[in-house]
Amino acid sequence: MRLFGEIRRQLDYKTGWNGGTLAVADRWFPPPTCSDRGTVKPELGLRERTFACEHCGLEMDRDLNAAINLQQYVDPEWPDDAKTGRGADQKTGPGRWL
């Protein structure tokens, strides 16, 4: 755990040094939440690689769904059309997140 504390300290220092802001989410954020509707799924096992919302029918990779939830946590005004699963350069296809 000490290593992660050092990484966090350096991230905080360097983002402030470069004029940025470090947003820190709680360790358990987000729970399995639909990035489209915000509904919480009761459980999502570690072997389940696809998030499926029973309410709106959204299905996507669980990590991509969590990344969208984190982006919305940092920037609630994040545009809905950015949920296409494409990279920031709009050249990276869906499912090719590294």
Side-chain angles (χ1 to χ4, degrees):
M1 192 62 156
R2 192 168 158 172
L3 172 66
F4 291 114
E6 177 64 17
I7 292 170
R8 161 101 184 271
R9 185 191 68 76
Q10 287 184 14
L11 284 171
D12 191 32
Y13 167 75
K14 292 193 181 238
T15 54
W17 188 36
N18 290 314
T21 304
L22 180 65
V24 179
D26 181 79
R27 173 183 180 174
W28 301 109
F29 179 87
T33 305
C34 177
S35 58
D36 193 34
R37 302 283 181 192
T39 55
V40 176
K41 189 171 182 171
E43 279 188 38
L44 190 60
L46 291 175
R47 291 186 178 206
E48 289 183 69
R49 300 310 309 159
T50 302
F51 178 88
C53 180
E54 294 103 20
H55 300 284
C56 70
L58 174 77
E59 285 191 31
M60 69 170 49
D61 180 78
R62 70 181 282 156
D63 295 333
L64 177 58
N65 184 62
I68 292 171
N69 285 330
L70 285 169
Q71 178 64 41
Q72 290 172 346
Y73 173 75
V74 173
D75 183 9
E77 300 299 317
W78 194 51
D80 288 335
D81 61 347
K83 295 179 187 176
T84 60
R86 299 186 70 79
D89 59 3
Q90 294 298 307
K91 295 178 185 172
T92 307
R96 296 185 58 201
W97 293 76
L98 300 175

